[in-house]
Amino acid sequence: MGYLLRLLCVVGVLVPGALAAQPKYPVSTVTLVTHSSPGSGSDVFLRELIRHLGPEMGVNFVVDNVRGGSGATAVAKVARGPADGSMFYATTPTYIQTTLLSKPQFGYDSLDPLVTVFLDPEVVFTRTESPFKSLGDVVDYARKNPGKSKWGAANPGSLERIALERMSRLIGTRAAIVTHDGGGDLIINVLNGTLDIGVGEMQEIKAQLEAGKVRLLATLTEQRIDTLPDLRTAREQGVDLVVTKFRGLAGPKGVPDVVAAQWEAAIRKVLAKPEYKKVYDGENLVTALKGRAESRVFTADFAKEVEVTLRELGIIK
Amino acid sequence: MHLGRDAVTGLGVLVFAVAYWLVADRLQVSLLADAVGADGVPKVLAVALAMLGALLAFSGWRAGPEPASAESVQSGAHLRAAGLLAVGCAYVVLMPIFGFALATWILIVVVAVYAGLAMSRNLVAIGAIAGGVFWFMFVKLLGISMPTGMWLELIG
Amino acid sequence: MDAIIIAWNALTQGWAIPACVFGVVWGIFGGAMPGISPSIAMALLLPFTYGMDPVAAIVMLAAVYVGAEYGGSIPAILIRTPGTNSAAATTIDGYEMSRQGKAGLALGISLACGTIGGLFGLAMLILMTEPLARVALAFTPPAYFSLGVLGLSVIAGLSGGSLVKGLIAGILGFMVATVGTDPVSGVPRFIFGEADLLGGIRPILAMIGLFAVSEMLVQISEPDWVKAKERSLRLEFPDWTLWKRLIPSQLIGGTIGLFEGLTPGGGGTIAAFLSYNEAKRWSKHPEEFGKGSPEGVAAPECANNVVTGSALIPLLSLGIPGSNSAAILLGGLLIHGLAPGPMLFERAPDVVYGLYGGLLVANALMFVIGLIILPPCLWLVNRPKPYLIAFILALVFAGVFSVQQSIFDIGLVLGFGVAGYLMKRLDMPFLPMVLGVVLGPMVESNYRRSLVLSDGDYFVFLQDPISLGLLIAAAGLLAYSIRRERRAGRTEPSA
């Protein structure tokens, strides 16, 4: 019966695809590989994207969740995959960090960036009952009470974790930085007051925010988020901390430039569609469309920066 | 010198604990580490395991070797178990080459024969049907991409 | 009253009921496949829910969860292969009953107790969400540490005679759990350059190896099959005398399942083992446990199905997924633009009440579908033994491989099979090892997390009231088990 369902889905995507008049994409089925499990970050990103991108490109999309090895397995699959534009990997900073931390056979550099689509804003939050009203309060408290502050991040090797470590060095104090087994644990410890603050993606705390259980203190982006104009950046509050969490695609080496250009054009069109805009605005995703050339530079720079930070923190040698 | 089974087990555990400690001791030290450290808990475990191993070895040695009882297993039994293990290892190596359905077919026939069934046309047929059913369950129903093997590459 | 009307409307309009039927069947099937956990069974179906209306989508996912938590116990009882983590405790007495020709009764108990447990969990979800959500929030890292310690203290009761060997097995299991990325600093540990080990060794692999593969190795090494007793092919339900005996173990399973389901990271596995142990302690026939006790099936089966209700409490009331399965449900809600959490009850009451109604239907359906599919399953396992061994091995390999498409995982399962075989030959109990694998990460990461929070002060474990209570309970349990072992040793010196 699952087969039938799948058939229905395929038909559902194919029919509108066939109607769209577009320069023909070289293959009819494109597999998008993600390391994340169904329902979480990258998976949701891909599935919402293909819902709009399928008709636009006249292509049948399949999302393949290849888990394991902190993303290394998925990267390896795509790196060895066909370079005709039929297989891509959904990138996040994870694939760069895994490469640097565990040096798998196929790392981020065995893939060729295709496009960068979104930036996922990271925010600092606390519970509503907490005395901290701004990031400044948190900083003051941490400076006056070294070793007493308790900050939380979701996963041990995550960007958020590294950001908090950098924050404690930036403001020159010692804080307990607690890592968790994922976002859920972190939110519980913020809500029950075990932690002073937590750092995470907007998507993870949306429900708490709507219910008035958490307060946002700062966004760790370059500029304020369009959908939350009142939330000040960390920089504005005197902490020079920016965390870039990107979402994009990368393919095996050797994908023709024509294909890359088709992708960029199609995604540009889709991003402008009001019904898609409503979806990604709702998740507070910030559009950051970069074509192939730009994405290559962006990825290389990003990797260099992460490597330098990891080295400074003594995580890698 | 004849040692009891427990004594040998205890010594084996002791050796394992030391080896585990040595690997734990060489774990990378990160500046992000807490006071306990990545090697903290493993080392505690290693020490506890070593002590328990020593305890088991000591009590086993004091009790002396147990008399060869009727229920002790002959070495032939271990060999037969090792044979099944070898079949399993072969499956691990060959499955990506043969593909999921064919490998399952072969596995079922080989294991059934190894477990004492006579080779027959029936058995081969049942294995083939089972391979098909398994393929249908996992690839079609559950929608998981199992290895197709090298056949497609050879043909096309 | 309004709620019932909303639930009725939500379920009867659209495709909610067919989706529920499909979900339960899918769940039982997925759960019964070795290695495919409830969350994976749900994840496999998730993409198909994107096009459905929200109520049908959520009801289908929840129905998969209910079905899968039950489905795992079918192979656990019949072929000593826990289909899911939380069915591991059922394997102990369930398979033993099976070997004694009482497979039909074991399946009947597990189906009946599972259904009762599921309904109890649902009742708690509907009636007690608010107060129970507060319990979930009260658990701090020290409390989780102590909860893990309480779970580990069960080892003493599962050691089957030799506490030293039990502890050795437990520590070996804990050592298995230390493989992978360090929970605090993020450095890789004991992975020897294998990227496949970065994420750690999933407990289900250890369980399938230790339970199922080792059993195949043992059976093949004994060529003269003990002629199996004439097995009953009929599904049987307990008679009234047996029911009365099972009630205390179900109460234990229900209570423990309720609270374990609330605590993220706890989940059905710990609930099942703890309730197995408690059922043994309070039983009038503790000596039967491990030798085919019906109570040993009832308690864990009730517990792991209660979790299907109580694990949803933190998700619906706080928006926090407490388990992998709840996280998939969260994904299902998110894709429909619904953020679970306190506001969901106001914003989408049809989804919430539809979900309650759907869970009720799912539990009832689980019972009916169980009645239909169990007799063929019983027939299947009564085929000649060589066939059975061949099919079990093929099923185990396929199931294990399918989860991550990893040949490496099959290798791991074989490795654990060998370990289980050796342990059996050395009279070393392997249940403590399973517990070590399951609880190790929870104990270690929360121990270290607590010490980071307290700046190295060990009193943190005694200052938190929940933590203190759990530690006292663990100490009590340990003392009780040791005393019982001493007494048993005195009365039968030969053992």
Side-chain angles (χ1 to χ4, degrees):
Chain A
M1 269 186 273
Y3 181 56
L4 276 182
L5 276 171
R6 172 140 355 109
L7 210 68
L8 283 176
C9 287
V10 169
V11 172
V13 180
L14 269 183
V15 172
L19 296 176
Q22 280 292 319
K24 205 168 153 26
Y25 193 76
V27 292
S28 61
T29 300
V30 176
T31 307
L32 300 178
V33 179
T34 170
H35 61 261
S36 83
S37 47
S40 55
S42 286
D43 181 70
V44 175
F45 157 67
L46 285 181
R47 296 194 194 267
E48 280 168 354
L49 180 67
I50 61 173
R51 194 179 281 185
H52 297 90
L53 207 56
E56 188 60 45
M57 293 176 71
V59 166
N60 168 35
F61 283 106
V62 178
V63 175
D64 194 1
N65 304 85
V66 179
R67 303 183 307 156
S70 298
T73 322
V75 171
K77 174 165 180 157
V78 176
R80 283 177 296 194
D84 55 358
S86 63
M87 191 184 274
F88 295 99
Y89 169 74
T91 57
T92 68
T94 305
Y95 89 123
I96 292 174
Q97 269 174 298
T98 303
T99 307
L100 295 172
L101 287 173
S102 57
K103 305 191 171 56
Q105 192 190 349
F106 292 95
Y108 75 90
D109 41 2
S110 56
L111 297 181
D112 189 4
L114 180 78
V115 282
T116 309
V117 186
F118 289 121
L119 295 181
D120 214 345
E122 297 274 340
V123 290
V124 181
F125 59 96
T126 186
R127 65 171 175 166
T128 322
E129 297 89 336
S130 136
F132 304 114
K133 306 277 187 235
S134 70
L135 194 61
D137 293 349
V138 177
V139 172
D140 285 346
Y141 178 82
R143 284 212 175 108
K144 284 187 192 128
N145 305 283
K148 293 269 183 269
S149 286
K150 290 153 185 157
W151 304 342
N155 296 305
S158 61
L159 279 182
E160 294 89 339
R161 162 70 182 290
I162 292 165
L164 286 178
E165 296 286 346
R166 272 175 48 206
M167 180 160 138
S168 86
R169 281 169 178 72
L170 279 173
I171 62 178
T173 188
R174 207 163 56 84
I177 293 165
V178 186
T179 56
H180 298 78
D181 298 327
D185 284 3
L186 168 67
I187 295 167
I188 286 196
N189 282 335
V190 171
L191 288 181
N192 66 20
T194 306
L195 295 170
D196 299 334
I197 55 165
V199 174
E201 291 165 35
M202 272 303 295
Q203 197 200 15
E204 291 171 332
I205 54 163
K206 211 172 139 194
Q208 314 301 329
L209 197 60
E210 285 177 348
K213 302 270 185 199
V214 299
R215 176 163 48 231
L216 297 180
L217 297 179
T219 158
L220 301 180
T221 43
E222 304 255 358
Q223 284 121 30
R224 293 191 187 189
I225 310 169
D226 287 346
T227 42
L228 294 165
D230 295 336
L231 183 63
R232 291 186 293 163
T233 64
R235 241 179 220 167
E236 285 176 65
Q237 302 183 59
V239 182
D240 185 17
L241 195 63
V242 172
V243 177
T244 314
K245 192 153 199 173
F246 59 84
R247 298 199 181 282
L249 294 168
K253 285 186 174 160
V255 174
D257 281 336
V258 195
V259 172
Q262 270 176 310
W263 271 91
E264 193 188 339
I267 291 184
R268 191 178 302 280
K269 261 191 196 161
V270 175
L271 285 177
K273 281 189 182 171
E275 60 273 26
Y276 189 41
K277 187 169 165 50
K278 215 177 110 196
V279 173
Y280 63 73
D281 275 352
E283 287 175 15
N284 301 290
L285 291 170
V286 179
T287 52
L289 183 62
K290 293 179 178 58
R292 181 183 236 181
E294 250 185 300
S295 292
R296 280 178 181 157
V297 177
F298 173 77
T299 309
D301 287 351
F302 187 91
K304 199 169 288 165
E305 199 186 310
V306 172
E307 192 172 352
V308 168
T309 312
L310 289 176
R311 225 179 275 280
E312 274 172 9
L313 294 172
I315 304 166
I316 54 172
K317 281 173 199 129
Chain B
M1 188 164 108
H2 289 281
L3 282 173
R5 205 176 39 180
D6 280 358
V8 177
T9 310
L11 287 177
V13 167
L14 192 60
V15 170
F16 180 81
V18 172
Y20 181 86
W21 167 285
L22 290 176
V23 178
D25 195 46
R26 291 181 48 210
L27 282 179
Q28 214 172 319
V29 180
S30 158
L31 287 188
L32 290 184
D34 50 333
V36 178
D39 59 346
V41 171
K43 281 183 173 169
V44 173
L45 293 175
V47 170
L49 188 67
M51 291 190 324
L52 287 165
L55 191 66
L56 185 64
F58 179 70
S59 64
W61 170 73
R62 244 188 14 181
E66 55 278 302
S69 62
E71 53 178 341
S72 79
V73 187
Q74 312 94 327
S75 57
H78 296 311
L79 270 181
R80 272 191 298 279
L84 188 65
L85 183 68
V87 175
C89 293
Y91 178 86
V92 166
V93 176
L94 296 178
M95 202 262 263
I97 301 172
F98 286 173
F100 172 63
L102 184 63
T104 304
W105 180 6
I106 300 175
L107 176 75
I108 287 176
V109 173
V110 169
V111 172
V113 170
Y114 187 72
L117 218 61
M119 187 71 169
S120 68
R121 219 174 293 161
N122 262 352
L123 174 59
V124 174
I126 289 175
I129 294 168
V133 170
F134 271 74
W135 177 83
F136 182 78
M137 281 198 311
F138 282 93
V139 178
K140 287 292 143 187
L141 274 178
L142 289 173
I144 294 161
S145 53
M146 299 299 246
T148 46
M150 296 190 165
W151 305 113
L152 292 178
E153 283 164 41
L154 286 179
I155 299 164
Chain C
M1 203 57 218
D2 283 353
I4 296 175
I5 296 168
I6 297 176
W8 176 260
N9 288 338
L11 282 180
T12 46
Q13 287 163 9
W15 290 88
I17 296 290
C20 185
V21 178
F22 181 75
V24 174
V25 174
W26 177 280
I28 295 180
F29 171 64
M33 293 291 122
I36 296 188
S37 62
S39 61
I40 294 167
M42 292 165 79
L44 287 170
L45 213 50
L46 185 66
F48 304 116
T49 65
Y50 294 159
M52 302 165 76
D53 75 280
V55 176
I58 301 310
V59 165
M60 181 154 98
L61 289 174
V64 176
Y65 188 21
V66 170
E69 277 293 349
Y70 166 69
S73 66
I74 300 172
I77 289 171
L78 290 177
I79 57 176
R80 208 183 192 222
T81 307
T84 56
N85 280 340
S86 56
T90 310
T91 312
I92 310 167
D93 277 290
Y95 183 70
E96 213 42 57
M97 284 182 77
S98 222
R99 283 215 325 192
Q100 296 163 9
K102 290 188 279 191
L105 181 61
L107 287 174
I109 292 174
S110 114
L111 181 60
C113 294
T115 309
I116 292 171
L119 292 173
F120 173 68
L122 176 61
M124 290 296 115
L125 170 67
I126 296 174
L127 301 173
M128 305 269 285
T129 295
E130 273 305 306
L132 288 175
R134 244 172 279 143
V135 175
L137 268 189
F139 268 74
T140 56
Y144 276 114
F145 165 76
S146 305
L147 181 65
V149 170
L150 176 64
L152 285 177
S153 69
V154 169
I155 286 180
L158 294 176
S159 292
S162 167
L163 190 57
V164 173
K165 286 181 178 174
L167 288 174
I168 289 176
I171 292 178
L172 287 174
F174 204 140
M175 286 175 164
V176 168
T178 60
V179 173
T181 307
D182 175 54
V184 174
S185 66
V187 300
R189 297 193 295 184
F190 306 102
I191 67 162
F192 306 102
E194 282 291 341
D196 284 297
L197 287 175
L198 261 183
I201 294 174
R202 285 176 301 124
I204 190 72
L205 299 180
M207 290 177 189
I208 291 178
L210 289 170
F211 281 109
V213 177
S214 76
E215 175 75 1
M216 297 301 105
L217 292 172
V218 168
Q219 287 196 3
I220 207 114
S221 69
E222 289 157 2
D224 342 299
W225 314 116
V226 185
K227 264 275 180 250
K229 285 191 196 128
E230 197 47 50
R231 286 163 189 250
S232 124
L233 283 182
R234 267 187 39 246
L235 183 62
E236 276 176 68
F237 287 101
D239 56 22
W240 181 235
T241 7
L242 186 53
W243 257 124
K244 274 193 289 191
R245 204 182 133 187
L246 294 180
I247 287 172
S249 36
Q250 291 190 59
L251 284 175
I252 290 169
T255 316
I256 294 178
L258 177 62
F259 286 98
E260 286 288 333
L262 288 176
T263 53
T269 318
I270 304 173
F273 272 106
L274 267 181
S275 46
Y276 178 84
N277 197 57
E278 287 308 290
K280 178 177 177 182
R281 183 144 67 114
W282 298 101
S283 168
K284 292 202 179 90
H285 309 275
E287 73 287 348
E288 281 183 28
F289 277 71
K291 299 186 184 97
S293 164
E295 295 158 80
V297 176
E301 277 305 287
C302 186
N304 63 27
N305 279 288
V306 173
V307 171
T308 59
S310 63
L312 299 184
I313 291 176
L315 178 70
L316 290 183
S317 61
L318 305 168
I320 297 165
S323 63
N324 289 337
S325 315
I328 305 281
L329 209 55
L330 173 70
L333 287 163
L334 283 177
I335 206 96
H336 284 102
L338 298 164
M343 303 301 285
L344 187 64
F345 290 82
E346 287 169 36
R347 198 165 301 159
D350 56 326
V351 173
V352 177
Y353 295 118
L355 173 62
Y356 291 168
L359 280 170
L360 181 68
V361 176
N363 273 292
L365 275 171
M366 175 181 110
F367 188 80
V368 176
I369 294 169
L371 289 181
I372 299 170
I373 60 160
L374 287 177
C377 292
L378 274 167
W379 178 84
L380 270 178
V381 296
N382 275 289
R383 298 309 91 211
K385 216 154 206 180
Y387 275 124
L388 203 56
I389 293 181
F391 274 85
I392 293 173
L393 219 51
L395 184 67
V396 163
F397 287 170
V400 165
F401 179 84
S402 69
V403 177
Q404 300 198 330
Q405 282 99 54
S406 163
I407 278 282
F408 188 84
D409 284 354
I410 302 184
L412 276 179
V413 165
L414 281 173
F416 280 107
V418 174
Y421 178 81
L422 289 176
M423 289 169 85
K424 182 164 175 112
R425 293 295 182 220
L426 295 171
D427 285 331
M428 195 176 281
F430 65 81
L431 287 171
M433 187 165 179
V434 172
L435 273 179
V437 176
V438 172
L439 295 171
M442 180 171 167
V443 171
E444 179 182 7
S445 58
N446 284 297
Y447 168 72
R448 291 168 61 184
R449 226 168 264 158
S450 307
L451 288 179
V452 169
L453 280 167
S454 71
D455 210 10
D457 182 1
Y458 284 86
F459 279 101
V460 69
F461 300 109
L462 303 180
Q463 281 157 357
D464 182 283
I466 297 182
S467 166
L468 182 64
L470 290 168
L471 282 179
I472 291 172
L477 210 76
L478 212 60
Y480 174 86
S481 304
I482 291 172
R483 214 187 54 185
R484 194 174 56 186
E485 189 182 324
R486 283 253 175 85
R487 201 186 301 153
R490 221 177 297 140
T491 45
E492 9 171 357
S494 60

